Amino acid sequence: MLAQLIYSLAIYSLLYGRAAVAAPTEKPVKHRNLIFMISDGFGLASETLARNYVQATKKYPLEWASVLDDLLVGTTRTRSSDSFITDSAAGATAFSCAQTTYNGAIGVSHDGKPCGTVLEAAKQAGYLTGLVSTARITHATPGSFAAHVLHRDMEELIAEHMISYNSRLTPAPTVDLMFGGGRCFFAPKTPNPAAGNPKSSCRTDQLDLWKFAQTKYGYSTISTRKQFDGLKPADKKLPVLGLFADGHMAYEIDRKPAEEPSLTEMTNKALAMLHSAASAPHGNDTSRAPGFFIMIEGARIDLAAHDNDPATHLHDIIEYWNAVAAVRKFVDTHPDTLLIGTSDHETGGLTIGFDPEYVWYPDVLTPVKSSAEAICAQIRPLSKNRDKLKDIVMTQVMPTQLGIDDATEEEIHDIVKGAGGSSKACKHAVGHVVSDRARLGWTTGGHTGVDVALYAYGAGSSNIRGSKDNTHVGQLLADFLDVDPGSITPLLVSQQTEQIGFGGKAVDLKPGKAESG
């Protein structure tokens, strides 16, 4: 894992690490591509963490800048309609609908009514559309661009909306390309893998969305690395639904390249496929799509911060950097393209250093080989056999997975105790051992209400400057594409927004209720 990270850093720094990069020449063009990147849960302290780490481990000068540093244009103010601290659902809906809504809301306004999204408006205007995420594709952020449900946990219904099941919009699917995780929400309660369906299901009904996507809209459905590698942009094979894990995709630190593509690989493939398809005539029609809109999410940055797991957080940040660098290269060769990037919120309340020392130690993160999530999945089943658990922690977890050869009795005790508690307690115990040694602090296992960075590059980027409300960012997206999400809202009046049998959780939400992610 260390070798993989060092190689990734070397390639990144060789191609993209420099103090400043000039934006491509801006020209007024009719063809438009908009790439919106969301680094979920990524705050300014997290950017500092990653930049410091690279500077320290690669011996770069203090003035070295990351790819994101080069693109910084302002900040985004984060909140929801019911709290100064937003969750990802309300945060993403602020971007997609340009409206403030309550925590937990997916593509609905504060009164629970569907609101048209920039992706849907782009599709209605003829653009091709895409969603890429390292989370479940039905998770809060991607879901908020193509679904309309009262609560983010209604993922069965979100899956239906994502592939335009009972669509109230165009006869074609709303989303042309989807890459991510979350296969299980597309398989019937009783899976039928022999028919090419996912092997496991998270659904409570027998709806086979995998088959529906194939037969109704002609989706190419893929679920393996081999199938992903076999996708050729020149084939213009859209729509495509590529889901490479039953749940979330693996953290970058744990990812097995032979099994799952990286965020950067999915990004490159998605851009190539959308660009190729948008450049081709539509069947017998000589007209071409005006361009494409895609949302790309580095989702697991957030989940690592929820776990207070600094090394895992770092690996996903650096992979997100690589994806941003890939997008920047695309923009450089396609001057009709705008990249806008921001975060929905900050997670973890990360601090670089803590009292009384003015210091932190980046090298502590280098030998860590596994996420706290993977470690706890290994040791929690041993919690009833405390002696065996302690031995595994001492002989495997500490030296092999965390790179700690001089573990103290207190550190061993903390992890053993955490393993006997909840999953969250275990992950925090593991993460805090590494964090304490590195002198990194966390104020919460949830979100905070601080502003986050705003980035822009390419066509029209010089007009994006300053502090923006999260809904204003959403309006920037619509304005660049010259579309009106509000024009879609009347078409969604009869859209089903509540999942049958869900239990009324959405209507019982209290203001400020915490949502994970």
Side-chain angles (χ1 to χ4, degrees):
M1 200 74 245
L2 174 57
Q4 181 181 343
L5 176 59
I6 291 174
Y7 175 77
S8 179
L9 286 173
I11 295 299
Y12 167 83
S13 60
L14 177 65
L15 296 177
Y16 310 113
R18 46 198 178 231
V21 175
T25 303
E26 297 179 21
K27 298 178 181 178
V29 289
K30 294 182 179 180
H31 185 93
R32 298 182 181 93
N33 301 317
L34 177 56
I35 304 168
F36 184 42
M37 300 190 73
I38 300 177
S39 45
D40 201 313
F42 180 71
L44 288 168
S46 297
E47 171 68 4
T48 303
L49 169 81
R51 186 196 310 115
N52 286 173
Y53 179 84
V54 173
Q55 288 172 323
T57 58
K58 302 296 293 183
K59 310 300 182 185
Y60 288 158
L62 293 178
E63 64 270 18
W64 181 84
S66 79
V67 62
L68 286 180
D69 292 327
D70 289 341
L71 310 184
L72 182 67
V73 296
T75 57
T76 301
R77 304 191 295 274
T78 65
R79 64 155 301 158
S80 64
S81 65
D82 58 351
S83 177
F84 282 117
I85 302 175
T86 187
D87 79 328
S88 291
T93 299
F95 299 144
S96 66
C97 292
Q99 293 187 25
T100 303
T101 191
Y102 61 88
N103 282 345
I106 298 288
V108 297
S109 56
H110 64 88
D111 58 2
K113 296 180 180 178
C115 53
T117 73
V118 64
L119 182 145
E120 292 168 329
K123 183 64 179 180
Q124 289 283 90
Y127 290 90
L128 295 177
T129 58
L131 295 169
V132 173
S133 177
T134 49
R136 298 188 298 272
I137 204 69
T138 53
H139 209 231
T141 300
S144 294
F145 284 83
H148 307 275
V149 303
L150 296 178
H151 194 276
R152 56 182 293 163
D153 289 346
M154 297 178 177
E155 290 189 63
E156 294 182 43
L157 184 55
I158 292 173
E160 296 172 31
H161 288 193
M162 299 292 272
I163 59 165
S164 302
Y165 184 82
N166 288 333
S167 175
R168 300 298 188 268
L169 300 176
T170 66
T174 301
V175 190
D176 295 295
L177 179 148
M178 286 179 275
F179 290 155
R183 278 190 306 247
C184 68
F185 284 104
F186 294 81
K189 183 178 180 180
T190 306
N192 183 15
N197 291 349
K199 297 179 181 179
S200 62
S201 175
C202 302
R203 299 192 66 86
T204 58
D205 58 27
Q206 295 297 343
L207 195 57
D208 188 342
L209 296 180
W210 198 254
K211 183 177 180 180
F212 174 85
Q214 296 167 342
T215 57
K216 174 67 175 180
Y217 293 119
Y219 271 97
S220 297
T221 52
I222 63 172
S223 59
T224 68
R225 176 68 200 233
K226 183 177 180 180
Q227 291 172 324
F228 174 82
D229 291 340
L231 285 175
K232 305 300 180 186
D235 294 341
K236 305 172 181 63
K237 204 169 186 179
L238 295 179
V240 61
L241 175 64
L243 304 180
F244 308 103
D246 288 330
H248 295 313
M249 296 184 72
Y251 283 117
E252 185 61 22
I253 198 172
D254 299 325
R255 183 176 65 88
K256 297 177 181 179
E259 296 179 8
E260 292 184 11
S262 68
L263 177 63
T264 303
E265 290 171 321
M266 292 192 295
T267 295
N268 278 325
K269 184 83 74 173
L271 294 180
M273 293 187 71
L274 289 172
H275 174 67
S276 178
S279 302
H282 294 174
N284 295 324
D285 188 353
T286 58
S287 66
R288 289 169 170 78
F292 64 80
F293 168 76
I294 186 171
M295 189 286 296
I296 301 169
E297 182 195 20
R300 306 223 68 193
I301 295 171
D302 168 71
L303 297 174
H306 275 289
D307 293 345
N308 293 179
D309 183 354
T312 301
H313 191 56
L314 170 70
H315 277 259
D316 269 69
I317 292 169
I318 290 175
E319 177 54 26
Y320 182 75
W321 279 0
N322 291 335
V324 172
V327 170
R328 192 175 72 184
K329 285 186 67 177
F330 182 89
V331 174
D332 285 339
T333 55
H334 301 85
D336 50 2
T337 304
L338 172 63
L339 160 64
I340 296 179
T342 192
S343 304
D344 45 359
H345 54 76
E346 192 274 347
T347 301
L350 174 65
T351 61
I352 310 299
F354 54 74
D355 194 53
E357 298 176 285
Y358 290 177
V359 65
W360 87 277
Y361 303 107
D363 287 343
V364 170
L365 306 185
T366 299
V368 178
K369 294 182 173 64
S370 302
S371 68
E373 178 180 89
I375 291 171
C376 288
Q378 171 192 349
I379 65 176
R380 288 188 70 229
L382 305 174
S383 60
K384 293 183 179 180
N385 188 338
R386 192 175 181 86
D387 290 339
K388 184 175 181 180
L389 171 60
K390 183 176 181 180
D391 180 66
I392 292 293
V393 171
M394 290 175 59
T395 62
Q396 294 184 30
V397 172
M398 288 296 192
T400 303
Q401 293 169 282
L402 299 182
I404 298 174
D405 295 322
D406 57 348
T408 66
E409 280 295 326
E410 182 180 6
E411 289 172 329
I412 294 169
H413 172 268
D414 287 348
I415 293 181
V416 170
K417 180 181 178 182
S422 66
S423 175
K424 182 176 182 178
C426 181
K427 290 183 286 189
H428 277 193
V430 173
H432 290 174
V433 165
V434 177
S435 297
D436 288 350
R437 283 184 169 242
R439 299 298 189 268
L440 298 170
W442 304 88
T443 66
T444 179
H447 300 173
T448 65
V450 301
D451 293 359
V452 292
L454 176 65
Y455 306 96
Y457 186 69
S461 60
S462 61
N463 299 321
I464 305 172
R465 294 291 185 272
S467 173
K468 308 293 185 184
D469 182 77
N470 52 8
T471 59
H472 189 182
V473 173
Q475 191 59 52
L476 289 172
L477 305 178
D479 288 348
F480 179 77
L481 294 176
D482 193 23
V483 299
D484 177 16
S487 68
I488 303 298
T489 301
L491 306 177
L492 301 169
V493 171
S494 60
Q495 182 77 55
Q496 179 184 348
T497 59
E498 186 161 7
Q499 183 175 305
I500 297 173
F502 185 72
K505 182 176 180 180
V507 297
D508 291 337
L509 279 175
K510 300 296 189 294
K513 179 177 174 61
E515 300 294 340
S516 178

